[in-house]
Amino acid sequence: MSELKVQCFSISLDGFGAGPNQSLQSPLGEGGEGLHTWFFGTRTFQRMLGDESKGTDGPDEDFAARGFANIGAWILGRNMFGPVRGPWPDESWKGWWGEEPPYHVPVYVLTHHPRAPLEMKGGTTFYFVTDGIESALAQAKKAANGKDVRLGGGVATIHEYLKAGLVDEMHLAISPVVLGSGESLFAGVDLASLGFQCVEHVPTSAATHVVLRKNPR
Amino acid sequence: MSELKVQCFSISLDGFGAGPNQSLQSPLGEGGEGLHTWFFGTRTFQRMLGDESKGTDGPDEDFAARGFANIGAWILGRNMFGPVRGPWPDESWKGWWGEEPPYHVPVYVLTHHPRAPLEMKGGTTFYFVTDGIESALAQAKKAANGKDVRLGGGVATIHEYLKAGLVDEMHLAISPVVLGSGESLFAGVDLASLGFQCVEHVPTSAATHVVLRKNPR
């Protein structure tokens, strides 16, 4: 059955999914790059950059690859696509990832501002959804055609889906950095009450990978 | 130089140092025992119970042993000694640890309720400090005589010392459990602004050990 999954979501050891003062120049926030060190070293990431000979194998790579396996569509919050709040600043903005984004499937972007679908190279089409998270999920699941839907973030969007009871699984990578402030994944969300338990725990020298599932058998 | 250190402080992967609904019957809160699984297996803990032949060596044991090395005094919050808030319910209450507590040095308990010092077997004496955290630290450092002072918790007490800028180092053990609610170590405290950085990261199958130091060179 098609599930909604958060995958490869990196947080600091104090629970922040992005650092403070995010901006166009610093989309991950201050110190936020350190969250993704484990991912930057993987073969999966290096393949995205075009040279997989540079990447490493091992548990970090296994989780990176799992994050793209059996994914038929993505859902992104507004800020995962564009740099500012408010109306689209410029229709020429095509997201953070250049002409050929790493999704290769339909991507549903939550926003209050309508925009025509944006077809990119390599199979990625951005659809802009203005009628809410449940609509986005229904469209994404239909497009995924039995495969899973990956929820890319950010934290505010994950919170919305968590509180609505719509997330089935979360793979988090806890990185050995302190951010101190920013967007806390755990603030205001009671994962235990929502039914989540840790079902997998794979520590590496770069990050501690945990998989949380809702109401595991 | 004598430092104030938090050591072997176990938190859930969502940042809670104790589970919800702490009580006399459940001093660690619901699900809180799972925080300490890494510690229960160590030779250091088994030695406390009287049979170190049962304990294991390795990185978990190394951190457990470091938590007691070069410690000349402890500071505990009220609830680390007694089960309820308010006046001491009964002078016969001698803490959670029986006749021979595992400290073996002076222990300064923060409280609003005066009580005469309580000398236990094995070198532990509980002193009850009613004039604040700085007084407790001064007394503890004097008693420690050049050794370090370990701050045992709980979360509220750690927060007080952190915000006062008095904590030099924290060793946290992030355990693969979800608590969902309880006492969050990171809520309301900006560790980055306080100068903390992660200087050591040792993941094991039971926990991810991180050492944070303030303004490391």
Side-chain angles (χ1 to χ4, degrees):
Chain A
M1 201 183 76
S2 176
E3 295 195 331
L4 181 62
K5 295 183 174 182
V6 174
Q7 291 184 286
C8 300
F9 196 79
S10 302
I11 57 174
S12 63
L13 53 89
D14 44 352
F16 296 98
N21 302 318
Q22 288 174 275
S23 68
L24 181 58
Q25 287 71 37
S26 178
L28 304 174
E30 290 170 16
E33 296 76 19
L35 297 178
H36 305 283
T37 303
W38 73 271
F39 183 66
F40 294 153
T42 64
R43 190 176 304 280
T44 290
F45 182 71
Q46 293 299 325
R47 186 181 298 126
M48 287 181 191
L49 299 183
D51 185 2
E52 67 181 288
S53 70
K54 287 182 183 163
T56 56
D57 292 318
D60 292 322
E61 166 58 20
D62 294 344
F63 275 102
R66 274 168 62 172
F68 291 89
N70 196 43
I71 299 299
W74 285 61
I75 296 172
L76 299 181
R78 167 71 177 79
N79 294 333
M80 297 289 287
F81 177 80
V84 296
R85 296 184 184 280
W88 301 111
D90 182 342
E91 288 279 324
S92 69
W93 177 263
K94 294 179 178 177
W96 297 104
W97 303 274
E99 291 296 324
E100 188 171 341
Y103 302 105
H104 309 296
V105 291
V107 176
Y108 295 84
V109 179
L110 295 159
T111 173
H112 295 295
H113 303 281
R115 179 170 169 175
L118 184 60
E119 190 174 344
M120 309 293 290
K121 288 182 188 165
T124 300
T125 299
F126 293 109
Y127 295 93
F128 301 90
V129 181
T130 57
D131 55 349
I133 64 170
E134 299 199 3
S135 170
L137 181 58
Q139 293 179 58
K141 284 206 173 178
K142 187 174 179 189
N145 194 23
K147 291 186 176 181
D148 293 326
V149 175
R150 180 165 161 181
L151 178 56
V155 168
T157 301
I158 293 174
H159 280 180
E160 282 191 77
Y161 276 101
L162 282 171
K163 289 176 180 176
L166 296 172
V167 178
D168 298 293
E169 184 176 297
M170 293 202 289
H171 158 230
L172 307 177
I174 304 171
S175 293
V177 297
V178 175
L179 286 179
S181 61
E183 297 187 301
S184 170
L185 182 62
F186 303 119
V189 178
D190 182 334
L191 291 177
S193 290
L194 288 167
F196 284 94
Q197 293 176 34
C198 182
V199 297
E200 213 176 333
H201 173 241
V202 181
T204 76
S205 63
T208 296
H209 298 279
V210 290
V211 178
L212 314 185
R213 276 197 69 85
K214 196 160 74 172
N215 305 319
R217 286 186 196 87
Chain B
M1 200 184 77
S2 176
E3 294 195 329
L4 181 62
K5 294 183 173 181
V6 174
Q7 291 184 288
C8 300
F9 197 78
S10 303
I11 58 174
S12 65
L13 53 88
D14 44 351
F16 296 99
N21 303 318
Q22 288 174 277
S23 67
L24 180 58
Q25 287 72 38
S26 177
L28 304 173
E30 290 168 16
E33 296 76 20
L35 297 177
H36 305 284
T37 303
W38 74 271
F39 184 66
F40 295 153
T42 63
R43 190 175 303 280
T44 290
F45 181 71
Q46 293 299 324
R47 185 183 298 124
M48 287 180 191
L49 299 184
D51 184 3
E52 67 181 288
S53 69
K54 288 183 184 163
T56 55
D57 291 319
D60 292 321
E61 166 57 20
D62 294 345
F63 276 102
R66 274 168 63 173
F68 292 89
N70 196 44
I71 298 298
W74 284 62
I75 296 173
L76 299 182
R78 166 69 176 81
N79 295 333
M80 296 289 287
F81 177 80
V84 295
R85 295 183 184 279
W88 302 110
D90 183 341
E91 288 279 323
S92 70
W93 177 262
K94 293 179 177 178
W96 296 104
W97 303 275
E99 291 296 323
E100 187 171 342
Y103 302 105
H104 308 297
V105 292
V107 177
Y108 296 83
V109 179
L110 295 159
T111 173
H112 295 295
H113 303 281
R115 179 169 169 176
L118 183 61
E119 190 174 343
M120 309 293 288
K121 289 182 187 167
T124 300
T125 299
F126 293 110
Y127 295 93
F128 301 90
V129 180
T130 57
D131 55 348
I133 64 170
E134 300 200 2
S135 170
L137 181 57
Q139 293 179 56
K141 285 207 171 176
K142 187 173 178 189
N145 194 23
K147 292 187 175 179
D148 292 329
V149 175
R150 179 165 161 181
L151 178 56
V155 167
T157 301
I158 293 173
H159 281 179
E160 282 190 77
Y161 277 100
L162 282 171
K163 290 176 179 175
L166 297 172
V167 177
D168 299 292
E169 184 176 297
M170 291 202 290
H171 157 230
L172 308 177
I174 303 171
S175 294
V177 296
V178 176
L179 286 180
S181 61
E183 298 187 300
S184 169
L185 183 62
F186 303 118
V189 178
D190 183 334
L191 291 177
S193 290
L194 288 168
F196 284 94
Q197 294 176 33
C198 182
V199 297
E200 212 176 333
H201 174 240
V202 181
T204 75
S205 62
T208 296
H209 299 278
V210 291
V211 178
L212 313 185
R213 277 197 68 85
K214 197 159 75 172
N215 305 317
R217 287 183 195 87

